[in-house]
């Protein structure tokens, strides 16, 4: 076999050399002095050819190194198993939860910190009773604004506890894999309170309706009893109670609360006490504008306290009397005062007021004129009774009394309660004075009292 003349083996030579090399005996325990496989390969024609051609070794090594690097790169580009964790801290941005009653939405801001490199974490939504269709907006710097639409028809929208509300937090890693995690709301974000307030503002005033009013006069003195059938459209059970109200002429007496099931009905027994037969009117309440919260009108009806057992929260609402119901109540009040004698009360003189401890004592002289028999006169203040014992009305209707009150920024007006008798029957009478002489004396002894707010008609 001859060479090619340039030092390279022909292909058949290379094949024979490799074949002879592979046929070398393997070193065994029975031949400890035999040459190793490497030594035999180096002494063979193939080993001598391998040693004489370094460019072949360099090419083979380059191919092997490239193969190893390529395999390593393929391993590092493959995503590790997803740990399904959302590593981040979510806090309130410090502002109160805002409500938009016109748009029917609730919103608040959050701050996201402590995110792992390569992850994108954001607050996707706030969920809970009374909320739906939540959206979030990235404000940059880890700040997120979350907004949700109100759904006040949901059963627990008015009284769900705070732990029923939570966050949906989303994490997307560098390989595009997304995980959504539920978390409790951070401190400072009172979504439950905001939802309760907003839903009550939009539904509370229309939540209770009056189906029927039965009016019974007496038998107690100067009393009219109302049996009011009420239907609820609230999505929750409630305890309802008529609030005590006294406009100077008609007082709503405090009554026991009644249980009212969601969507159910109840009959509420409400006693009215006629305080004065001067001109008693059907009780009225100040209706409000749902959006602005401002008072818009006085309407016939009653103010109610509504307690939702689920949260223990107490809310105010009102029930309206329609024209027929208001007319029936007015007829009952007129019946109590039917035959009342004509009566007038006037202020004759005001003495110098003096402090007695924390109480101001102001002497007054009154004149009472009545077609009936006037008796049992009592000078009062809304925050303090002026006379422990009612004063008798003397001859000519002259009465000397003492008006007692506390010094404060707003002093309640002096009122005079009186009973007049005609045909063996007693009638209540009440009169309030805003005489300038009283105003001046109040300001003298109580310098902080303001005249415009001291006395009201």
């Amino acid at each position: 076999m001859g060479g090619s003349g340039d030092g390279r083996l022909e292909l058949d030579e290379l094949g024979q050399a490799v074949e002879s090399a592979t046929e070398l005996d393997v070193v065994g325990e029975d031949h400890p002095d035999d040459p190793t496989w490497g030594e035999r390969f180096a002494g063979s024609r193939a080993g001598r050819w391998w040693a004489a051609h370094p460019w072949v070794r360099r090419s083979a090594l380059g191919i092997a190194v490239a193969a190893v690097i390529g395999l390593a790169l393929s391993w590092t580009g493959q995503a590790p198993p997803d740990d399904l964790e959302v590593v981040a801290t979510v806090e309130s941005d410090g502002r109160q939860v805002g409500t938009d009653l016109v748009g029917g939405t609730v919103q608040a801001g959050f701050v996201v910190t402590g995110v792992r490199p390569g992850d994108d974490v954001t607050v996707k939504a706030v969920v809970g009773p009374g909320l739906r269709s939540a959206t979030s907006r990235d404000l940059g710097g880890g700040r997120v604004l979350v907004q949700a639409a109100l759904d006040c028809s949901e059963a627990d929208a008015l009284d769900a506890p705070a732990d029923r509300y939570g966050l949906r937090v989303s994490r997307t890693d560098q390989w595009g894999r997304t995980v959504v995690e539920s978390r409790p709301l951070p401190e400072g974000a009172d979504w439950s309170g905001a939802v309760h307030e907003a839903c009550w503002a939009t539904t509370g005033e229309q939540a209770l309706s009056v189906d029927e009013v039965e009016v019974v006069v007496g038998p107690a003195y100067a009393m009219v009893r109302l049996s009011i059938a009420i239907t609820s459209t609230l999505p929750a059970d409630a305890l309802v109670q008529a609030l005590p109200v006294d406009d100077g002429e008609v007082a709503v007496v405090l009554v026991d609360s009644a249980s009212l099931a969601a969507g159910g009905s109840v009959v509420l027994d409400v006693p009215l006490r006629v305080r004065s037969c001067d001109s008693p009117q059907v009780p009225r309440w100040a209706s409000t504008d749902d959006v602005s919260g401002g008072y818009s009108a006085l309407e016939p009806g009653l103010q109610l306290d509504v307690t939702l057992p689920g949260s223990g929260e107490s809310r105010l609402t009102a029930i309206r009397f329609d024209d027929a119901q208001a007319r029936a109540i007015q007829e009952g009040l007129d019946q109590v005062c039917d035959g009342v004698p004509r009566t007038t009360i006037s202020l004759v003189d005001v003495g110098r007021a003096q402090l007695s401890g924390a109480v101001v004592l102001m002497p007054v002289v009154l004149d009472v004129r009545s077609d009936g028999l006037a008796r049992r006169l009592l000078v009062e203040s809304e925050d303090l009774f002026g006379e422990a014992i009612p004063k008798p009305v003397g001859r000519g209707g002259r009465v000397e009394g003492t008006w007692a009150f506390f010094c404060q920024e707003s002093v309640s007006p002096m009122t005079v309660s009186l009973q007049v008798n005609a045909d063996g029957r007693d009638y209540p009478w009440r009169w309030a004075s805003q005489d300038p002489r009283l105003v001046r004396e109040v300001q003298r002894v109580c310098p902080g009292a303001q005249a415009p707010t001291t006395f009201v008609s």
Side-chain angles (χ1 to χ4, degrees):
M1 278 186 302
S4 61
D6 58 2
R8 292 177 297 175
L9 292 174
E10 297 292 343
L11 289 178
D12 56 346
E13 293 179 291
L14 178 60
Q16 293 176 7
V18 172
E19 181 180 358
S20 64
T22 58
E23 291 176 353
L24 293 176
D25 293 335
V26 178
V27 178
E29 294 180 357
D30 297 334
H31 306 280
D33 297 328
D34 288 345
T36 65
W37 186 91
E39 292 172 342
R40 294 185 180 188
F41 177 73
S44 66
R45 293 181 60 192
R48 291 192 296 271
W49 180 86
W50 180 265
H53 298 80
W55 64 271
V56 176
R57 296 197 306 274
R58 288 194 298 269
S59 298
L61 180 60
I63 293 171
V65 170
V68 171
I69 292 174
L71 181 59
L73 289 175
S74 68
W75 285 345
T76 58
Q78 182 178 356
D82 194 348
D83 58 12
L84 303 179
E85 290 185 351
V86 180
V87 178
T89 300
V90 180
E91 297 175 322
S92 170
D93 68 357
R95 294 179 295 179
Q96 296 292 326
V97 180
T99 57
D100 179 4
L101 297 182
V102 177
T105 59
V106 187
Q107 67 177 28
F110 298 93
V111 179
V112 181
T113 58
V115 180
R116 292 184 303 194
D119 283 358
D120 180 19
V121 177
T122 189
V123 181
K124 300 296 291 184
V126 175
V127 296
L131 297 176
R132 58 179 174 81
S133 305
T135 59
S136 64
R137 181 158 58 96
D138 188 356
L139 303 180
R143 297 173 59 244
V144 182
L145 181 67
V146 178
Q147 184 179 82
L150 289 167
D151 182 8
C152 296
S153 63
E154 194 169 347
D156 299 329
L158 292 175
D159 65 345
D163 59 10
R164 293 279 304 280
Y165 295 84
L167 298 177
R168 292 286 186 270
V169 182
S170 170
R171 180 229 69 193
T172 302
D173 63 15
Q174 58 184 316
W175 292 279
R177 298 175 300 189
T178 298
V179 173
V180 178
E181 179 180 277
S182 297
R183 289 191 178 189
L185 281 167
E187 293 183 2
D190 184 16
W191 279 73
S192 61
V195 171
H196 298 171
E197 292 288 346
C199 283
W200 191 261
T202 57
T203 65
E205 219 170 82
Q206 295 79 35
L208 305 177
S209 60
V210 178
D211 299 326
E212 184 181 2
V213 177
E214 182 182 354
V215 181
V216 179
V217 179
Y221 169 71
M223 293 287 289
V224 174
R225 303 191 74 89
L226 307 180
S227 293
I228 307 171
I230 300 172
T231 295
S232 169
T233 59
L234 290 173
D237 295 346
L239 297 175
V240 296
Q241 183 179 52
L243 290 179
V245 177
D246 187 354
D247 66 1
E249 295 179 348
V250 175
V252 177
V253 180
L254 181 66
V255 298
D256 292 335
S257 58
S259 298
L260 185 56
S265 299
V266 72
V267 175
L268 196 62
D269 182 32
V270 179
L272 303 181
R273 180 179 296 279
V274 178
R275 298 268 278 151
S276 175
C277 279
D278 182 10
S279 55
Q281 300 293 318
V282 177
R284 295 173 179 267
W285 62 283
S287 64
T288 59
D289 186 316
D290 288 341
V291 177
S292 69
Y295 291 105
S296 59
L298 287 173
E299 299 184 14
L302 291 176
Q303 202 83 30
L304 297 185
D305 178 271
V306 179
T307 301
L308 304 171
S311 63
E313 295 179 351
S314 182
R315 311 262 178 195
L316 296 182
T317 188
I319 51 175
R320 295 178 174 88
F321 299 137
D322 61 26
D323 292 343
Q325 294 163 352
R327 189 163 51 250
I329 297 171
Q330 187 64 56
E331 290 173 356
L333 298 174
D334 293 341
Q335 186 177 340
V336 169
C337 295
D338 185 29
V340 62
R342 184 176 57 183
T343 303
T344 60
I345 303 174
S346 60
L347 180 67
V348 177
D349 194 18
V350 176
R352 186 174 180 82
Q354 294 183 347
L355 275 171
S356 177
V359 180
V360 178
L361 302 177
M362 184 185 298
V364 294
V365 179
L366 303 168
D367 184 65
V368 178
R369 303 290 176 177
S370 178
D371 292 342
L373 177 62
R375 57 186 182 181
R376 290 189 295 186
L377 182 145
L378 187 66
V379 179
E380 300 175 292
S381 177
E382 289 185 4
D383 54 8
L384 186 68
F385 282 104
E387 303 281 353
I389 301 175
K391 304 287 287 189
V393 179
R395 290 184 177 275
R398 188 66 61 97
V399 178
E400 294 183 2
T402 302
W403 177 33
F405 58 89
F406 291 115
C407 264
Q408 50 193 0
E409 183 178 351
S410 178
V411 177
S412 301
M414 183 187 77
T415 59
V416 177
S417 295
L418 178 70
Q419 285 188 356
V420 292
N421 184 274
D423 299 326
R425 179 179 173 188
D426 286 330
Y427 296 88
W429 197 272
R430 201 162 186 255
W431 173 77
S433 176
Q434 49 185 346
D435 191 290
R437 291 171 292 179
L438 293 172
V439 174
R440 287 193 297 268
E441 190 61 18
V442 167
Q443 290 178 323
R444 185 192 66 79
V445 73
C446 302
Q450 300 297 316
T453 59
T454 301
F455 296 95
V456 295
S457 58

